[in-house]
Structures are given as C-alpha cells and as structure tokens.
Amino acid sequence: MREERLTKKAAALDAADELACTRELFALDNDSVYLDGNSLGALPRHVPERVQDVIARQWGELRIRSWTEGSWWTAPERIGDRIAPIVGAAPGRIVVGDSTSVNVFKAVVAAMRLAAPGRDEILVDATTFPTDGYIAASAARLTGGRIVSVAPGEVLGALGPRTAVVLLNHVDFRTGRLHDLPGLTAAGHAAGALAVWDLCHSAGALPVGLDAHGVDLAVGCTYKYLNGGPGSPAFLYVAERHQAGFDSPLPGWNSHTDPFAMDRDFAAADGAVRGRVGTPDILSMLALEAALDVWEGVRMEAVRAKSLALTDFFLECVEAYAPEGRVVSLTPAAHGERGSQIALRCAEAPAVMDALIARGIVGDLRRPDVLRFGFTPLYTRFGEAERAARVLGEVLTEVPAAARP
C-alpha cells in the first residue's frame, strides 16, 4: 500500500513536470538511477558529435586557422556570456578557463588588492571544501593577510574593521545547506568587506543573482549541474564596478590588452578578460559550450521549483522506506536553506553506498558517514527519487547496523 501510494504520486509529479522533456537531451538509461550530478553531470547526447567536429575538422583540417575561423580565441568570454544568465549576471562579467582552485586564488588575491587600506583579514567558511581553505591560506601569506575561520552562521559576528574579504560557499558540499548569499553579501559590504562566493554546488541548480545581490567576485565549476564534462574549465565572475581595478595575481599573455604584441611589460585588458591567463583548453572548453545548449529556453525558476519538489519527495520516501533510526538527514528541511542535494548520515555509509551502486542507484559518499544524493532537475525524475529511496530501505534492512556505544 505504501509503495503503491508513492509510485502513484511519483507518476503524477512526473506527468506535471515542466522540465520532463529535457531528460531526452541526456545520455541516460532506465536501468540505473543517477544521483551524482552534483559531482559529475550526465553527458548531453549531442556533445560527442560536436567534439568530434572540433577534433576532426577544426583541429584536423583548419588547424591553426581555428583560432580565428573557428572562434577559439574568443571562447572564454563567449562561453562566459552563456553561463551568465544561469547565475544572474550580465554579459561581459564572466570568463571561462582554468580550474576552480586557480580561479579561487585569482579572486581572493584580487579582492585583497581591492580592499581598503588597513584591512587584512580573510573570513573563510570553516566548513568549506578543503581546497578553498588551502587557497585562501596561500593568498593570505602572499598578501600579508591572515585567515579567520568561522562557520557561515558566525560570519555576522566576526565582521570587523579589519575584514577585507569574506569567502563563502553558496551550498555546503557535505550537507547541501544553502547559505544566505544576499544577506551575507550585504552584511559584508556594510562592514566594508568584499564578498567572494564559491558557486560549485549552486550554479545550474538554483537562481544565484550575482548582479542583483551585488556580489563582488565569484567562481564556479562547470562539470556538476552545468554538465560540461570531467575537468571542464571553471568560471570567474568579476562585477563590472571592479573590473578596472581587478589586479590578477596570475597575469598572462591571454589577459594582456594586446596579446600578440609580446610586450615585456604587462598591460591588462579591459573587462573580465583580465581573468584569463594562458592558452585556453580548447577541447574541454568547446565540449562545455556544446553542453550548454541544453539550457536554451530553461527557466531557473522552474529548475529551482523542481529541485525543491524532488528533494521534498525523496525525503518523504526515505521516511517511508528506511528503517527507523538508520539514517538522519543533514540537509535543512527549510526550502530557503536547501540546495539541490540530500545528505543522509548513516553509520554504515560506506557499505550502504557500495550496495546501492551495485543495484544501480548511483550516489556518492563523504567519509566517514554521509550518503550524498544529488538531484539534477534537468534530467532526474520523481520516479527515480522513489526508486532510490525504496532500494535504500531494502539495503538498510540487509546491511547490519553498526554497534553503537
């Protein structure tokens, strides 16, 4: 009876799904449930053919001419302009290239150089993805600053006259908690600091509103919810008001105002182009450009609505199917505090995730005890959320509960 009720509800939700047709754009099968798009997005079906053209015709036939005839040279800004509406930015404010880590370094050092005199503190999210912390510490050493590590909920109390930069994750990678980008950005500005946001777990999953909320600098990856492919280049956002003063710690010939002049002295280009460094990684960059086609006509409001409905429904199904006491959600129930993943604490997490994957339910693990399930609104179905929770319940009855003290 319980399963019948939930499968009927899933079918009704799938039938009413505004984004249902976008699933057809991805190379997915019905034999498994893919809930790891928050680590690596699924392959859009048309990308292999587009990449084959880049390899065989543009590289194989046009060769060096593709820098101009194939528009390779302008790809970082062009693709940045395609990402811009997904994260709420105007054209000319995003450049694509390098990794997230490299872009975090550029953003934090540049923010320190933009900060007012006497400000030397970098407030860092204590729960951040480790690399952000490593990079921020290096940036502090380089600029003579110091790190102040605080939980996102403690940022307001930690802001002070020495705060130069606040570096935060929009969505926590472990728990899926959504942090208050508008409020924390405004608070940072009121204290005289700049706000730098890591959007890796929010870009493509929910509206961000970079321009509307006055964010100073932001970075994000493109291989999760943007489906750009493994290791696809990251992006850097520079607010228009900061572009003239953006002083990159990695000036390269690609960010020079006249790259082919080969001047000994560096003169920075105008706009977000200052965020470029060296020769773009064309193969992965143009794969990303092709992947972004799936966003044509998609409303971010519809993406967010489906994300919340999916995660609500999954939690409802987990509550119905999972043996009592075996899993506890770490993801906030409040919609305003939730990204697009559900994190469940489970003492037997490694064994449970292995068993789930063996049965075609692909999530991931954050050691020692967190099961993560990412819900990508463009291709995840409600029926898959129900199936995943049902199989989770079955696995939990089979995997012995860990002995508790």
Side-chain angles (χ1 to χ4, degrees):
M1 181 70 70
R2 172 187 60 185
E3 181 177 333
E4 181 181 1
R5 176 181 66 83
L6 290 173
T7 54
K8 284 184 177 178
K9 182 174 181 178
L13 289 168
D14 279 327
D17 177 16
E18 177 181 331
L19 299 175
C21 62
T22 60
R23 180 182 171 85
E24 301 171 3
L25 303 176
F26 292 87
L28 294 162
D29 58 60
N30 294 323
D31 295 330
S32 64
V33 176
Y34 189 64
L35 298 180
D36 209 3
N38 54 331
S39 286
L40 176 63
L43 170 69
R45 292 184 185 276
H46 68 285
V47 168
E49 182 178 355
R50 293 275 290 278
V51 172
Q52 179 60 26
D53 176 72
V54 174
I55 294 172
R57 184 181 64 84
Q58 297 181 35
W59 180 14
E61 297 177 12
L62 293 177
R63 292 179 287 276
I64 197 70
R65 291 158 53 198
S66 285
W67 284 106
T68 52
E69 294 181 35
S71 300
W72 287 1
W73 186 260
T74 57
E77 305 93 84
R78 182 177 71 247
I79 301 171
D81 284 348
R82 295 193 64 184
I83 292 172
I86 299 173
V87 294
R93 297 176 189 180
I94 292 179
V95 65
V96 173
D98 306 310
S99 68
T100 304
S101 300
V102 172
N103 282 312
V104 169
F105 180 72
K106 296 177 200 172
V108 174
V109 173
M112 287 292 283
R113 291 173 174 175
L114 285 166
R119 291 182 176 269
D120 60 354
E121 292 182 349
I122 305 174
L123 264 61
V124 178
D125 177 356
T127 62
T128 189
F129 190 78
T131 291
D132 286 16
Y134 306 156
I135 295 292
S138 177
R141 292 193 299 272
L142 180 68
T143 60
R146 74 182 191 98
I147 295 293
V148 178
S149 182
V150 296
E154 300 171 355
V155 168
L156 297 182
L159 291 166
R162 293 180 60 182
T163 307
V165 180
V166 182
L167 171 64
L168 295 170
N169 282 256
H170 197 191
V171 174
D172 185 275
F173 78 102
R174 285 190 183 88
T175 66
R177 176 180 291 276
L178 173 66
H179 296 137
D180 181 9
L181 182 147
L184 291 171
T185 299
H189 288 169
L194 283 84
V196 179
W197 285 91
D198 182 330
L199 310 179
C200 284
H201 288 270
S202 61
L206 51 92
V208 177
L210 292 176
D211 286 350
H213 301 308
V215 168
D216 299 292
L217 299 158
V219 302
C221 69
T222 61
Y223 50 79
K224 300 182 190 298
Y225 295 104
L226 296 181
N227 311 294
S232 57
F235 64 88
L236 170 68
Y237 165 87
V238 183
E240 185 177 35
R241 64 187 179 279
H242 293 311
Q243 289 179 0
F246 181 85
D247 183 7
S248 174
L250 297 172
W253 76 292
N254 265 233
S255 55
H256 194 284
T257 187
D258 187 1
F260 293 96
M262 302 298 172
D263 288 339
R264 289 185 179 275
D265 296 324
F266 181 75
D270 292 331
V273 176
R274 292 184 177 208
R276 293 178 63 157
V277 183
T279 305
D281 42 353
I282 290 299
L283 297 183
S284 59
M285 187 162 304
L286 296 189
L288 165 63
E289 182 173 34
L292 291 171
D293 288 351
V294 302
W295 289 93
E296 292 181 6
V298 172
R299 298 183 307 111
M300 287 309 300
E301 293 76 14
V303 170
R304 180 59 170 163
K306 183 177 177 182
S307 166
L308 292 172
L310 276 167
T311 48
D312 278 344
F313 182 60
F314 180 70
L315 287 171
E316 177 185 350
C317 292
V318 168
E319 183 177 3
Y321 290 130
E324 186 175 356
R326 293 293 296 278
V327 295
V328 176
S329 177
L330 299 177
T331 307
H335 285 182
E337 299 175 9
R338 186 193 308 170
S340 198
Q341 74 179 50
I342 295 295
L344 302 177
R345 173 161 286 153
C346 175
E348 307 79 23
V352 169
M353 185 53 70
D354 285 347
L356 285 171
I357 292 173
R359 298 190 191 191
I361 309 299
V362 183
D364 73 0
L365 173 73
R366 283 294 175 264
R367 293 182 297 175
D369 60 357
V370 177
L371 302 168
R372 280 199 331 173
F373 302 94
F375 292 85
T376 305
L378 292 188
Y379 55 75
T380 306
R381 297 177 298 197
F382 290 91
E384 292 178 311
E386 185 277 333
R387 178 180 163 192
R390 176 162 33 89
V391 175
L392 173 62
E394 295 168 359
V395 167
L396 289 170
T397 64
E398 298 167 8
V399 173
R404 285 163 171 79

